[in-house]
Amino acid sequence: MNTVLHSQRVSSGALHRSSHEPVGWSARRFRLGPNYGGQRVSWVETLHRNSWYSVGDEVCLRLQCSRPNISSAASSVEYSSVQTEIQYSIQSRVEVSQSSTQRQEGSSSKTQQSTYGPSAHVTATGRVVAIGDIHGDIQKLLDCLKISGLIREDDHGIRWIGGDATVVQLGDVLDRGDAEISTILLLRELDKQARQDGGAVHMLNGNHESLNVAGDFRYVTPGAFWESAMAAGLSEDDALRSKEAILQARWALYRPGGVMAKELSRNPTVLIVNNEIVFAHGGLLPHHVKYGVQRINDEVAKWMKGADCTDGSAPSPPFTAMGDSNSVMWNRTFGKERCSPYDRIQMKRQLDATLQQLGAKAMVVGHTPQMTGLNAECNGRIWRVDVGMSSGVLNAEAQVLEFSKDESGNLQASLLTPDFTPYL
């Protein structure tokens, strides 16, 4: 079996410095209690249906500081921090994405069985780029895409230039930052563009996506509450008058079966690229593999789509994916930078067993911020890519992991930073 090589292309700026202090949370800690869980919000649903699918099915978010305004007359998404805009249409994006996915799966050497959720296995013909937790910081996402040579920004907006590259974002786009929905829209737009060149942009579901679909809004910032309220169709006057309306508007979007929950249901929880590289937010353990990786993706998608709610009952969150500290989204088995020799031995055993069962060569995880920056253990077979780059976490510099093949076809990995990248 070919081994993964840890490239030595690491600059001095690749490590987090001790001066990086965690940014204090600005979120008002709301939690959706049982009273909200059983309360009908039909008035919010009516609002979000009428405004979300506005004229031409265009979703238009205009970010100004931390307060985005929605306008059905505009036809672009503008990010004031980067002075750029992209065309976006929900209807055309869904149609293009679904048809592209079908073409990609049809070209695979293995016939894929019909599944409820997104496929756990994908094929990549070009390089594979892994991006860690974003947490509502769209500027850091753009930094990652630039140092990876995947996008170009000019007067005409943001364009995909990554060719057949495949991007895997490890989840946790939500919470701790103001630009959540706009970040998701950007990832979806780039996926649409990438698929036209044979590439793809995948976003995984992390524990913060599952928290929001479960109604736990403790880590949502005021700016993100405002963004979701505007996307749900609340007027500025109503949003300013009533915090309760803002909270219920967010629940209408993110509850199982809501517009944003259905959008998140398109994300895999586990993704295996070329049967070589395993991606999971917290990490994949042997008992997860035994349970079934496609089954995990199917159950998360079914829960987020609200598929079990036809009789009025609440859907059950999938335990294996998000139920406890040993679940796919929550476990930190592979994320500990500092651990005892015993814990390191156990980590290696778990990793060996998981990769052997899948016939894979390496695993990439997010979830746990790395104080020393992006790093690897076990001879480059486990990679940790959550570097805490969001301004709501450590405000660290953007770092990206790139997988490619050498001349002999061996899998190799490179660390890309703003100080060292061949693409800038």
Side-chain angles (χ1 to χ4, degrees), residues 198-234:
V201 177
H202 302 280
M203 171 187 162
L204 301 190
N205 280 322
N207 60 303
H208 282 270
E209 280 72 47
S210 68
L211 282 173
N212 278 267
V213 178
D216 188 336
F217 301 144
R218 285 176 292 169
Y219 305 102
V220 181
T221 65
F225 269 117
W226 187 272
E227 183 190 48
S228 58
M230 296 300 100
L234 285 183

PDB file of all heavy atoms in Angstrom, residues 198-234:
ATOM      1  N   GLY A 198     -15.273  19.381 -14.401  1.00  0.00           N
ATOM      2  CA  GLY A 198     -14.911  18.066 -13.898  1.00  0.00           C
ATOM      3  C   GLY A 198     -14.475  18.041 -12.457  1.00  0.00           C
ATOM      4  O   GLY A 198     -14.012  17.007 -11.960  1.00  0.00           O
ATOM      5  N   GLY A 199     -14.596  19.167 -11.753  1.00  0.00           N
ATOM      6  CA  GLY A 199     -14.255  19.229 -10.336  1.00  0.00           C
ATOM      7  C   GLY A 199     -15.498  19.178  -9.471  1.00  0.00           C
ATOM      8  O   GLY A 199     -16.600  18.874  -9.948  1.00  0.00           O
ATOM      9  N   ALA A 200     -15.358  19.505  -8.205  1.00  0.00           N
ATOM     10  CA  ALA A 200     -16.494  19.504  -7.280  1.00  0.00           C
ATOM     11  C   ALA A 200     -16.100  20.235  -6.002  1.00  0.00           C
ATOM     12  O   ALA A 200     -14.915  20.317  -5.655  1.00  0.00           O
ATOM     13  CB  ALA A 200     -16.944  18.090  -6.955  1.00  0.00           C
ATOM     14  N   VAL A 201     -17.097  20.768  -5.312  1.00  0.00           N
ATOM     15  CA  VAL A 201     -16.911  21.373  -3.991  1.00  0.00           C
ATOM     16  C   VAL A 201     -17.900  20.709  -3.044  1.00  0.00           C
ATOM     17  O   VAL A 201     -19.115  20.870  -3.200  1.00  0.00           O
ATOM     18  CB  VAL A 201     -17.134  22.899  -4.019  1.00  0.00           C
ATOM     19  CG1 VAL A 201     -16.993  23.484  -2.612  1.00  0.00           C
ATOM     20  CG2 VAL A 201     -16.160  23.567  -4.986  1.00  0.00           C
ATOM     21  N   HIS A 202     -17.393  19.952  -2.096  1.00  0.00           N
ATOM     22  CA  HIS A 202     -18.237  19.246  -1.125  1.00  0.00           C
ATOM     23  C   HIS A 202     -18.135  19.936   0.228  1.00  0.00           C
ATOM     24  O   HIS A 202     -17.062  20.345   0.648  1.00  0.00           O
ATOM     25  CB  HIS A 202     -17.784  17.790  -0.969  1.00  0.00           C
ATOM     26  CG  HIS A 202     -17.801  16.994  -2.239  1.00  0.00           C
ATOM     27  ND1 HIS A 202     -18.953  16.451  -2.752  1.00  0.00           N
ATOM     28  CD2 HIS A 202     -16.804  16.660  -3.101  1.00  0.00           C
ATOM     29  CE1 HIS A 202     -18.674  15.800  -3.869  1.00  0.00           C
ATOM     30  NE2 HIS A 202     -17.383  15.921  -4.109  1.00  0.00           N
ATOM     31  N   MET A 203     -19.257  20.032   0.897  1.00  0.00           N
ATOM     32  CA  MET A 203     -19.304  20.524   2.276  1.00  0.00           C
ATOM     33  C   MET A 203     -19.851  19.418   3.144  1.00  0.00           C
ATOM     34  O   MET A 203     -20.924  18.872   2.874  1.00  0.00           O
ATOM     35  CB  MET A 203     -20.200  21.771   2.354  1.00  0.00           C
ATOM     36  CG  MET A 203     -20.501  22.241   3.768  1.00  0.00           C
ATOM     37  SD  MET A 203     -21.734  23.585   3.777  1.00  0.00           S
ATOM     38  CE  MET A 203     -22.255  23.524   5.508  1.00  0.00           C
ATOM     39  N   LEU A 204     -19.122  19.051   4.202  1.00  0.00           N
ATOM     40  CA  LEU A 204     -19.612  18.038   5.135  1.00  0.00           C
ATOM     41  C   LEU A 204     -20.517  18.682   6.181  1.00  0.00           C
ATOM     42  O   LEU A 204     -20.500  19.898   6.382  1.00  0.00           O
ATOM     43  CB  LEU A 204     -18.448  17.344   5.842  1.00  0.00           C
ATOM     44  CG  LEU A 204     -17.405  16.615   4.998  1.00  0.00           C
ATOM     45  CD1 LEU A 204     -16.485  15.800   5.913  1.00  0.00           C
ATOM     46  CD2 LEU A 204     -18.036  15.728   3.951  1.00  0.00           C
ATOM     47  N   ASN A 205     -21.288  17.860   6.845  1.00  0.00           N
ATOM     48  CA  ASN A 205     -22.027  18.323   8.018  1.00  0.00           C
ATOM     49  C   ASN A 205     -21.189  18.069   9.261  1.00  0.00           C
ATOM     50  O   ASN A 205     -20.689  16.961   9.480  1.00  0.00           O
ATOM     51  CB  ASN A 205     -23.369  17.594   8.141  1.00  0.00           C
ATOM     52  CG  ASN A 205     -24.419  18.167   7.220  1.00  0.00           C
ATOM     53  OD1 ASN A 205     -24.495  19.384   7.029  1.00  0.00           O
ATOM     54  ND2 ASN A 205     -25.243  17.313   6.630  1.00  0.00           N
ATOM     55  N   GLY A 206     -21.036  19.123  10.064  1.00  0.00           N
ATOM     56  CA  GLY A 206     -20.333  19.006  11.333  1.00  0.00           C
ATOM     57  C   GLY A 206     -21.296  19.087  12.497  1.00  0.00           C
ATOM     58  O   GLY A 206     -22.511  19.189  12.317  1.00  0.00           O
ATOM     59  N   ASN A 207     -20.758  19.082  13.697  1.00  0.00           N
ATOM     60  CA  ASN A 207     -21.626  19.106  14.876  1.00  0.00           C
ATOM     61  C   ASN A 207     -22.418  20.408  14.985  1.00  0.00           C
ATOM     62  O   ASN A 207     -23.536  20.418  15.511  1.00  0.00           O
ATOM     63  CB  ASN A 207     -20.806  18.874  16.147  1.00  0.00           C
ATOM     64  CG  ASN A 207     -19.724  19.910  16.367  1.00  0.00           C
ATOM     65  OD1 ASN A 207     -18.861  20.115  15.511  1.00  0.00           O
ATOM     66  ND2 ASN A 207     -19.752  20.571  17.508  1.00  0.00           N
ATOM     67  N   HIS A 208     -21.898  21.513  14.440  1.00  0.00           N
ATOM     68  CA  HIS A 208     -22.632  22.775  14.543  1.00  0.00           C
ATOM     69  C   HIS A 208     -23.779  22.848  13.538  1.00  0.00           C
ATOM     70  O   HIS A 208     -24.767  23.540  13.789  1.00  0.00           O
ATOM     71  CB  HIS A 208     -21.680  23.955  14.398  1.00  0.00           C
ATOM     72  CG  HIS A 208     -20.909  24.227  15.660  1.00  0.00           C
ATOM     73  ND1 HIS A 208     -21.353  25.076  16.639  1.00  0.00           N
ATOM     74  CD2 HIS A 208     -19.737  23.711  16.113  1.00  0.00           C
ATOM     75  CE1 HIS A 208     -20.492  25.097  17.642  1.00  0.00           C
ATOM     76  NE2 HIS A 208     -19.503  24.274  17.346  1.00  0.00           N
ATOM     77  N   GLU A 209     -23.676  22.137  12.435  1.00  0.00           N
ATOM     78  CA  GLU A 209     -24.837  22.013  11.547  1.00  0.00           C
ATOM     79  C   GLU A 209     -25.935  21.217  12.247  1.00  0.00           C
ATOM     80  O   GLU A 209     -27.114  21.580  12.215  1.00  0.00           O
ATOM     81  CB  GLU A 209     -24.441  21.336  10.225  1.00  0.00           C
ATOM     82  CG  GLU A 209     -23.778  22.251   9.219  1.00  0.00           C
ATOM     83  CD  GLU A 209     -22.362  22.648   9.601  1.00  0.00           C
ATOM     84  OE1 GLU A 209     -21.587  21.748   9.988  1.00  0.00           O
ATOM     85  OE2 GLU A 209     -22.031  23.843   9.521  1.00  0.00           O
ATOM     86  N   SER A 210     -25.543  20.123  12.895  1.00  0.00           N
ATOM     87  CA  SER A 210     -26.544  19.297  13.579  1.00  0.00           C
ATOM     88  C   SER A 210     -27.150  20.033  14.774  1.00  0.00           C
ATOM     89  O   SER A 210     -28.339  19.884  15.064  1.00  0.00           O
ATOM     90  CB  SER A 210     -25.915  17.970  14.032  1.00  0.00           C
ATOM     91  OG  SER A 210     -24.967  18.158  15.062  1.00  0.00           O
ATOM     92  N   LEU A 211     -26.352  20.841  15.463  1.00  0.00           N
ATOM     93  CA  LEU A 211     -26.892  21.614  16.584  1.00  0.00           C
ATOM     94  C   LEU A 211     -28.015  22.538  16.120  1.00  0.00           C
ATOM     95  O   LEU A 211     -29.059  22.645  16.770  1.00  0.00           O
ATOM     96  CB  LEU A 211     -25.779  22.440  17.232  1.00  0.00           C
ATOM     97  CG  LEU A 211     -24.816  21.716  18.176  1.00  0.00           C
ATOM     98  CD1 LEU A 211     -23.678  22.646  18.594  1.00  0.00           C
ATOM     99  CD2 LEU A 211     -25.538  21.185  19.400  1.00  0.00           C
ATOM    100  N   ASN A 212     -27.807  23.216  15.006  1.00  0.00           N
ATOM    101  CA  ASN A 212     -28.818  24.166  14.522  1.00  0.00           C
ATOM    102  C   ASN A 212     -30.074  23.460  14.056  1.00  0.00           C
ATOM    103  O   ASN A 212     -31.182  23.939  14.297  1.00  0.00           O
ATOM    104  CB  ASN A 212     -28.228  25.034  13.411  1.00  0.00           C
ATOM    105  CG  ASN A 212     -27.424  26.198  13.951  1.00  0.00           C
ATOM    106  OD1 ASN A 212     -27.938  27.294  14.139  1.00  0.00           O
ATOM    107  ND2 ASN A 212     -26.152  25.951  14.235  1.00  0.00           N
ATOM    108  N   VAL A 213     -29.930  22.314  13.391  1.00  0.00           N
ATOM    109  CA  VAL A 213     -31.119  21.578  12.968  1.00  0.00           C
ATOM    110  C   VAL A 213     -31.858  21.021  14.179  1.00  0.00           C
ATOM    111  O   VAL A 213     -33.078  20.858  14.159  1.00  0.00           O
ATOM    112  CB  VAL A 213     -30.728  20.450  11.980  1.00  0.00           C
ATOM    113  CG1 VAL A 213     -31.949  19.637  11.565  1.00  0.00           C
ATOM    114  CG2 VAL A 213     -30.062  21.039  10.745  1.00  0.00           C
ATOM    115  N   ALA A 214     -31.132  20.759  15.262  1.00  0.00           N
ATOM    116  CA  ALA A 214     -31.751  20.297  16.498  1.00  0.00           C
ATOM    117  C   ALA A 214     -32.344  21.447  17.313  1.00  0.00           C
ATOM    118  O   ALA A 214     -32.976  21.216  18.346  1.00  0.00           O
ATOM    119  CB  ALA A 214     -30.738  19.531  17.345  1.00  0.00           C
ATOM    120  N   GLY A 215     -32.146  22.695  16.865  1.00  0.00           N
ATOM    121  CA  GLY A 215     -32.712  23.841  17.573  1.00  0.00           C
ATOM    122  C   GLY A 215     -31.837  24.402  18.652  1.00  0.00           C
ATOM    123  O   GLY A 215     -32.305  25.191  19.479  1.00  0.00           O
ATOM    124  N   ASP A 216     -30.557  24.042  18.676  1.00  0.00           N
ATOM    125  CA  ASP A 216     -29.626  24.561  19.678  1.00  0.00           C
ATOM    126  C   ASP A 216     -28.869  25.727  19.052  1.00  0.00           C
ATOM    127  O   ASP A 216     -27.975  25.539  18.234  1.00  0.00           O
ATOM    128  CB  ASP A 216     -28.655  23.459  20.104  1.00  0.00           C
ATOM    129  CG  ASP A 216     -27.796  23.876  21.289  1.00  0.00           C
ATOM    130  OD1 ASP A 216     -27.608  25.089  21.488  1.00  0.00           O
ATOM    131  OD2 ASP A 216     -27.321  22.986  22.016  1.00  0.00           O
ATOM    132  N   PHE A 217     -29.232  26.948  19.449  1.00  0.00           N
ATOM    133  CA  PHE A 217     -28.683  28.157  18.847  1.00  0.00           C
ATOM    134  C   PHE A 217     -27.741  28.893  19.793  1.00  0.00           C
ATOM    135  O   PHE A 217     -27.561  30.109  19.681  1.00  0.00           O
ATOM    136  CB  PHE A 217     -29.820  29.090  18.422  1.00  0.00           C
ATOM    137  CG  PHE A 217     -30.784  28.499  17.429  1.00  0.00           C
ATOM    138  CD1 PHE A 217     -32.123  28.811  17.495  1.00  0.00           C
ATOM    139  CD2 PHE A 217     -30.355  27.630  16.446  1.00  0.00           C
ATOM    140  CE1 PHE A 217     -33.031  28.283  16.586  1.00  0.00           C
ATOM    141  CE2 PHE A 217     -31.227  27.094  15.532  1.00  0.00           C
ATOM    142  CZ  PHE A 217     -32.584  27.409  15.596  1.00  0.00           C
ATOM    143  N   ARG A 218     -27.124  28.191  20.716  1.00  0.00           N
ATOM    144  CA  ARG A 218     -26.263  28.841  21.712  1.00  0.00           C
ATOM    145  C   ARG A 218     -25.077  29.583  21.092  1.00  0.00           C
ATOM    146  O   ARG A 218     -24.584  30.557  21.670  1.00  0.00           O
ATOM    147  CB  ARG A 218     -25.725  27.805  22.700  1.00  0.00           C
ATOM    148  CG  ARG A 218     -26.730  27.327  23.721  1.00  0.00           C
ATOM    149  CD  ARG A 218     -26.118  26.242  24.581  1.00  0.00           C
ATOM    150  NE  ARG A 218     -25.866  25.028  23.813  1.00  0.00           N
ATOM    151  CZ  ARG A 218     -25.144  24.003  24.277  1.00  0.00           C
ATOM    152  NH1 ARG A 218     -24.584  24.082  25.467  1.00  0.00           N
ATOM    153  NH2 ARG A 218     -24.990  22.924  23.535  1.00  0.00           N
ATOM    154  N   TYR A 219     -24.573  29.105  19.964  1.00  0.00           N
ATOM    155  CA  TYR A 219     -23.336  29.648  19.409  1.00  0.00           C
ATOM    156  C   TYR A 219     -23.585  30.556  18.209  1.00  0.00           C
ATOM    157  O   TYR A 219     -22.661  30.889  17.476  1.00  0.00           O
ATOM    158  CB  TYR A 219     -22.404  28.497  19.008  1.00  0.00           C
ATOM    159  CG  TYR A 219     -22.139  27.548  20.147  1.00  0.00           C
ATOM    160  CD1 TYR A 219     -22.796  26.316  20.224  1.00  0.00           C
ATOM    161  CD2 TYR A 219     -21.255  27.885  21.168  1.00  0.00           C
ATOM    162  CE1 TYR A 219     -22.572  25.447  21.284  1.00  0.00           C
ATOM    163  CE2 TYR A 219     -21.026  27.024  22.230  1.00  0.00           C
ATOM    164  CZ  TYR A 219     -21.691  25.807  22.282  1.00  0.00           C
ATOM    165  OH  TYR A 219     -21.470  24.951  23.337  1.00  0.00           O
ATOM    166  N   VAL A 220     -24.828  30.971  18.006  1.00  0.00           N
ATOM    167  CA  VAL A 220     -25.175  31.844  16.884  1.00  0.00           C
ATOM    168  C   VAL A 220     -24.885  33.296  17.276  1.00  0.00           C
ATOM    169  O   VAL A 220     -25.291  33.754  18.345  1.00  0.00           O
ATOM    170  CB  VAL A 220     -26.660  31.681  16.502  1.00  0.00           C
ATOM    171  CG1 VAL A 220     -26.998  32.572  15.308  1.00  0.00           C
ATOM    172  CG2 VAL A 220     -26.968  30.224  16.191  1.00  0.00           C
ATOM    173  N   THR A 221     -24.200  34.033  16.401  1.00  0.00           N
ATOM    174  CA  THR A 221     -23.893  35.430  16.675  1.00  0.00           C
ATOM    175  C   THR A 221     -25.092  36.314  16.330  1.00  0.00           C
ATOM    176  O   THR A 221     -25.960  35.919  15.547  1.00  0.00           O
ATOM    177  CB  THR A 221     -22.681  35.896  15.860  1.00  0.00           C
ATOM    178  OG1 THR A 221     -23.016  35.864  14.468  1.00  0.00           O
ATOM    179  CG2 THR A 221     -21.471  35.016  16.111  1.00  0.00           C
ATOM    180  N   PRO A 222     -25.145  37.523  16.876  1.00  0.00           N
ATOM    181  CA  PRO A 222     -26.228  38.439  16.505  1.00  0.00           C
ATOM    182  C   PRO A 222     -26.289  38.693  15.001  1.00  0.00           C
ATOM    183  O   PRO A 222     -27.373  38.775  14.416  1.00  0.00           O
ATOM    184  CB  PRO A 222     -25.872  39.721  17.271  1.00  0.00           C
ATOM    185  CG  PRO A 222     -25.108  39.233  18.460  1.00  0.00           C
ATOM    186  CD  PRO A 222     -24.320  38.062  17.983  1.00  0.00           C
ATOM    187  N   GLY A 223     -25.133  38.791  14.350  1.00  0.00           N
ATOM    188  CA  GLY A 223     -25.123  39.010  12.912  1.00  0.00           C
ATOM    189  C   GLY A 223     -25.717  37.843  12.144  1.00  0.00           C
ATOM    190  O   GLY A 223     -26.429  38.032  11.148  1.00  0.00           O
ATOM    191  N   ALA A 224     -25.449  36.625  12.604  1.00  0.00           N
ATOM    192  CA  ALA A 224     -26.006  35.440  11.941  1.00  0.00           C
ATOM    193  C   ALA A 224     -27.501  35.318  12.202  1.00  0.00           C
ATOM    194  O   ALA A 224     -28.253  34.858  11.328  1.00  0.00           O
ATOM    195  CB  ALA A 224     -25.280  34.187  12.411  1.00  0.00           C
ATOM    196  N   PHE A 225     -27.954  35.700  13.409  1.00  0.00           N
ATOM    197  CA  PHE A 225     -29.392  35.745  13.657  1.00  0.00           C
ATOM    198  C   PHE A 225     -30.073  36.714  12.692  1.00  0.00           C
ATOM    199  O   PHE A 225     -31.154  36.432  12.163  1.00  0.00           O
ATOM    200  CB  PHE A 225     -29.681  36.165  15.102  1.00  0.00           C
ATOM    201  CG  PHE A 225     -29.798  35.026  16.070  1.00  0.00           C
ATOM    202  CD1 PHE A 225     -28.910  34.889  17.129  1.00  0.00           C
ATOM    203  CD2 PHE A 225     -30.798  34.077  15.940  1.00  0.00           C
ATOM    204  CE1 PHE A 225     -29.025  33.838  18.024  1.00  0.00           C
ATOM    205  CE2 PHE A 225     -30.925  33.027  16.829  1.00  0.00           C
ATOM    206  CZ  PHE A 225     -30.028  32.906  17.880  1.00  0.00           C
ATOM    207  N   TRP A 226     -29.425  37.862  12.474  1.00  0.00           N
ATOM    208  CA  TRP A 226     -30.007  38.843  11.563  1.00  0.00           C
ATOM    209  C   TRP A 226     -30.033  38.299  10.140  1.00  0.00           C
ATOM    210  O   TRP A 226     -31.025  38.463   9.421  1.00  0.00           O
ATOM    211  CB  TRP A 226     -29.208  40.147  11.628  1.00  0.00           C
ATOM    212  CG  TRP A 226     -29.846  41.260  10.853  1.00  0.00           C
ATOM    213  CD1 TRP A 226     -29.659  41.555   9.530  1.00  0.00           C
ATOM    214  CD2 TRP A 226     -30.795  42.198  11.344  1.00  0.00           C
ATOM    215  NE1 TRP A 226     -30.422  42.629   9.156  1.00  0.00           N
ATOM    216  CE2 TRP A 226     -31.129  43.048  10.255  1.00  0.00           C
ATOM    217  CE3 TRP A 226     -31.375  42.423  12.587  1.00  0.00           C
ATOM    218  CZ2 TRP A 226     -32.030  44.099  10.384  1.00  0.00           C
ATOM    219  CZ3 TRP A 226     -32.271  43.464  12.726  1.00  0.00           C
ATOM    220  CH2 TRP A 226     -32.601  44.300  11.629  1.00  0.00           C
ATOM    221  N   GLU A 227     -28.946  37.656   9.716  1.00  0.00           N
ATOM    222  CA  GLU A 227     -28.883  37.100   8.368  1.00  0.00           C
ATOM    223  C   GLU A 227     -30.004  36.090   8.135  1.00  0.00           C
ATOM    224  O   GLU A 227     -30.690  36.120   7.113  1.00  0.00           O
ATOM    225  CB  GLU A 227     -27.523  36.431   8.149  1.00  0.00           C
ATOM    226  CG  GLU A 227     -27.334  35.872   6.748  1.00  0.00           C
ATOM    227  CD  GLU A 227     -26.089  35.020   6.632  1.00  0.00           C
ATOM    228  OE1 GLU A 227     -25.874  34.146   7.506  1.00  0.00           O
ATOM    229  OE2 GLU A 227     -25.338  35.203   5.663  1.00  0.00           O
ATOM    230  N   SER A 228     -30.219  35.195   9.100  1.00  0.00           N
ATOM    231  CA  SER A 228     -31.265  34.188   8.925  1.00  0.00           C
ATOM    232  C   SER A 228     -32.655  34.812   9.001  1.00  0.00           C
ATOM    233  O   SER A 228     -33.585  34.360   8.322  1.00  0.00           O
ATOM    234  CB  SER A 228     -31.119  33.077   9.972  1.00  0.00           C
ATOM    235  OG  SER A 228     -31.174  33.569  11.293  1.00  0.00           O
ATOM    236  N   ALA A 229     -32.807  35.856   9.798  1.00  0.00           N
ATOM    237  CA  ALA A 229     -34.106  36.526   9.874  1.00  0.00           C
ATOM    238  C   ALA A 229     -34.453  37.181   8.543  1.00  0.00           C
ATOM    239  O   ALA A 229     -35.593  37.089   8.070  1.00  0.00           O
ATOM    240  CB  ALA A 229     -34.092  37.572  10.992  1.00  0.00           C
ATOM    241  N   MET A 230     -33.462  37.828   7.918  1.00  0.00           N
ATOM    242  CA  MET A 230     -33.704  38.448   6.617  1.00  0.00           C
ATOM    243  C   MET A 230     -33.981  37.388   5.556  1.00  0.00           C
ATOM    244  O   MET A 230     -34.847  37.550   4.692  1.00  0.00           O
ATOM    245  CB  MET A 230     -32.512  39.308   6.205  1.00  0.00           C
ATOM    246  CG  MET A 230     -32.228  40.500   7.113  1.00  0.00           C
ATOM    247  SD  MET A 230     -33.591  41.698   7.243  1.00  0.00           S
ATOM    248  CE  MET A 230     -34.303  41.197   8.841  1.00  0.00           C
ATOM    249  N   ALA A 231     -33.244  36.274   5.608  1.00  0.00           N
ATOM    250  CA  ALA A 231     -33.465  35.203   4.641  1.00  0.00           C
ATOM    251  C   ALA A 231     -34.832  34.566   4.833  1.00  0.00           C
ATOM    252  O   ALA A 231     -35.458  34.115   3.866  1.00  0.00           O
ATOM    253  CB  ALA A 231     -32.375  34.143   4.779  1.00  0.00           C
ATOM    254  N   ALA A 232     -35.325  34.520   6.077  1.00  0.00           N
ATOM    255  CA  ALA A 232     -36.643  33.951   6.349  1.00  0.00           C
ATOM    256  C   ALA A 232     -37.771  34.882   5.938  1.00  0.00           C
ATOM    257  O   ALA A 232     -38.926  34.463   5.869  1.00  0.00           O
ATOM    258  CB  ALA A 232     -36.774  33.614   7.827  1.00  0.00           C
ATOM    259  N   GLY A 233     -37.452  36.147   5.663  1.00  0.00           N
ATOM    260  CA  GLY A 233     -38.467  37.068   5.170  1.00  0.00           C
ATOM    261  C   GLY A 233     -38.966  38.074   6.177  1.00  0.00           C
ATOM    262  O   GLY A 233     -39.909  38.813   5.885  1.00  0.00           O
ATOM    263  N   LEU A 234     -38.365  38.142   7.359  1.00  0.00           N
ATOM    264  CA  LEU A 234     -38.774  39.164   8.321  1.00  0.00           C
ATOM    265  C   LEU A 234     -38.373  40.539   7.820  1.00  0.00           C
ATOM    266  O   LEU A 234     -37.310  40.702   7.216  1.00  0.00           O
ATOM    267  CB  LEU A 234     -38.109  38.918   9.680  1.00  0.00           C
ATOM    268  CG  LEU A 234     -38.637  37.782  10.549  1.00  0.00           C
ATOM    269  CD1 LEU A 234     -37.889  37.770  11.878  1.00  0.00           C
ATOM    270  CD2 LEU A 234     -40.115  37.913  10.798  1.00  0.00           C
TER     271      LEU A 234
END
